[in-house]
Amino acid sequence: MKVAVVGKGGVGKTTIAACLARLLSRDGYSVIAVDADPSLNLAQAIGVPRDVADGAPILFDYEEFIKSRTLRPNGLYLMNPKVDDVVDRFGIKGPDGVRLLKLGAVRKGGTRCLCPEYAFLRALLSHLILGRKDVVILDMVAGLEHMSRGTARGVDLMLCVTEPSVKAIDVAIQMHKLSKDLEVKKFAIVINKVLSEDDVGVVRKALEGVEVAGIIPYDSSVIEADRKGLSLIDYEPESKAIQYINELKKYIEAFIK
Ligand SMILES: Nc1ncnc2c1ncn2[C@@H]1O[C@H](COP(=O)(O)OP(=O)(O)OP(=O)(O)O)[C@@H](O)[C@H]1O
Ligand SMILES: [Mg+2]
């Protein structure tokens, strides 16, 4: 099961992806959390100690390694590069058994989906999902560009986080449209930073017909945890936000079954 957490900048993608990873892992799933945002802050949100996170390899920095796996001597791409050792080589062991993979940034960019990094990543993502108890959670970079690069192509569930703001809702509407071209199996929204019933109503109205996977209240403990550099689930396990993220986790579990 591949879950991509997407949405406008700052809506809460990393916080939600990290807490979901921890909660699903506690429920016995084998969880790989993939930090697909070059600013690399998923490790902190998951609760990986700073020194461990900083010392961990960043997959896309290993350009030669990726090329050696994806490119044939004649310059063509291998359709099925070897990827079965990637998590062991590059993954970090996080709390609750979550494994974290830092992707980093693709420097040269290449032409759309054709650069070796993305070919490699696509092979990796399909490889990581072997059994019903395997979950990959992708914390995506803000905005729409990654969608065109195909990182989110073919995911089972795209969770589009939005706040009750016009800009965030507009991004969610665009992502919903794009998700159809990307063969995303299910697109659902998560309404975050909710202060009132009205907030929920505004988002529901603007995104009529789109399923709501979860609603998470505005909660100052999320900000406090951030300021202290801690994972919310360690800092305030009983917080309102965690309670509602736990409901979102149940939605995902129901989806898996
Ligand atoms: N439910 C919430 N209540 C209050 N603050 C929240 C909530 N969720 C997230 N935040 C705050 O919003 C900010 C952005 O959160 P986060 O980093 O998770 O978002 P993001 O979508 O991953 O951002 P980016 O696009 O920069 O990667 C942080 O300061 C975080 O503490
Ligand atoms: Mg983020």
Side-chain angles (χ1 to χ4, degrees):
M1 164 93 170
K2 270 180 279 179
V3 184
V5 183
V6 302
K8 190 189 162 292
V11 287
K13 298 178 291 294
T14 301
T15 306
I16 294 168
C19 295
L20 281 176
R22 295 275 304 265
L23 291 167
L24 284 162
S25 204
R26 285 180 187 177
D27 278 2
Y29 290 89
S30 163
V31 180
I32 299 173
V34 178
D35 194 347
D37 182 343
S39 53
L40 296 173
N41 42 27
L42 186 60
Q44 175 189 310
I46 285 179
V48 176
R50 187 79 193 246
D51 52 332
V52 178
D54 288 351
I58 298 169
L59 185 61
F60 286 163
D61 284 354
Y62 293 77
E63 269 176 69
E64 289 309 314
F65 167 79
I66 291 174
K67 271 191 203 142
S68 73
R69 293 285 175 94
T70 44
L71 284 176
R72 283 200 289 219
N74 60 8
L76 294 174
Y77 289 110
L78 272 171
M79 290 307 283
N80 292 303
K82 179 176 155 54
V83 286
D84 56 352
D85 55 347
V86 170
V87 174
D88 286 336
R89 277 176 81 148
F90 297 94
I92 311 167
K93 290 198 177 78
D96 292 327
V98 173
R99 280 177 300 165
L100 171 71
L101 198 59
K102 300 201 284 184
L103 294 188
V106 174
R107 292 207 184 80
K108 292 197 196 101
T111 47
R112 291 178 61 86
C113 307
L114 288 173
C115 59
E117 281 84 353
Y118 284 105
F120 187 79
L121 182 59
R122 278 195 296 276
L124 179 64
L125 290 177
S126 24
H127 167 79
L128 292 177
I129 316 297
L130 296 172
R132 264 173 48 120
K133 280 269 168 184
D134 293 334
V135 181
V136 173
I137 296 184
L138 286 145
D139 176 24
M140 305 298 288
V141 66
L144 298 157
E145 197 231 18
H146 60 82
M147 312 270 278
S148 60
R149 286 204 179 273
T151 324
R153 183 171 288 278
V155 295
D156 299 291
L157 177 63
M158 180 171 278
L159 288 179
C160 182
V161 183
T162 183
E163 343 169 300
S165 75
V166 174
K167 282 182 186 160
I169 292 170
D170 280 349
V171 169
I173 291 170
Q174 288 179 55
M175 286 187 163
H176 180 226
K177 284 187 194 137
L178 269 172
S179 70
K180 291 178 182 155
D181 302 332
L182 289 171
E183 293 150 45
V184 168
K185 293 185 190 99
K186 175 95 187 180
F187 181 94
I189 49 168
V190 176
I191 313 175
N192 190 26
K193 306 192 193 181
V194 167
L195 285 165
S196 68
E197 266 306 311
D198 280 357
D199 284 350
V200 177
V202 164
V203 179
R204 279 194 195 273
K205 187 155 181 254
L207 283 145
E208 219 179 320
V210 182
E211 194 162 305
V212 177
I215 295 169
I216 303 165
Y218 185 92
D219 183 342
S220 56
S221 54
V222 183
I223 295 162
E224 286 163 25
D226 243 6
R227 288 212 182 113
K228 292 188 177 352
L230 296 171
S231 170
L232 174 65
I233 207 164
D234 295 324
Y235 176 70
E236 203 70 80
E238 307 295 331
S239 60
K240 270 263 170 291
I242 287 292
Q243 286 169 33
Y244 281 83
I245 295 172
N246 199 47
E247 293 304 310
L248 177 59
K249 178 212 71 176
K250 290 181 196 162
Y251 172 93
I252 295 175
E253 287 180 339
F255 187 82
I256 295 171
K257 284 163 197 149

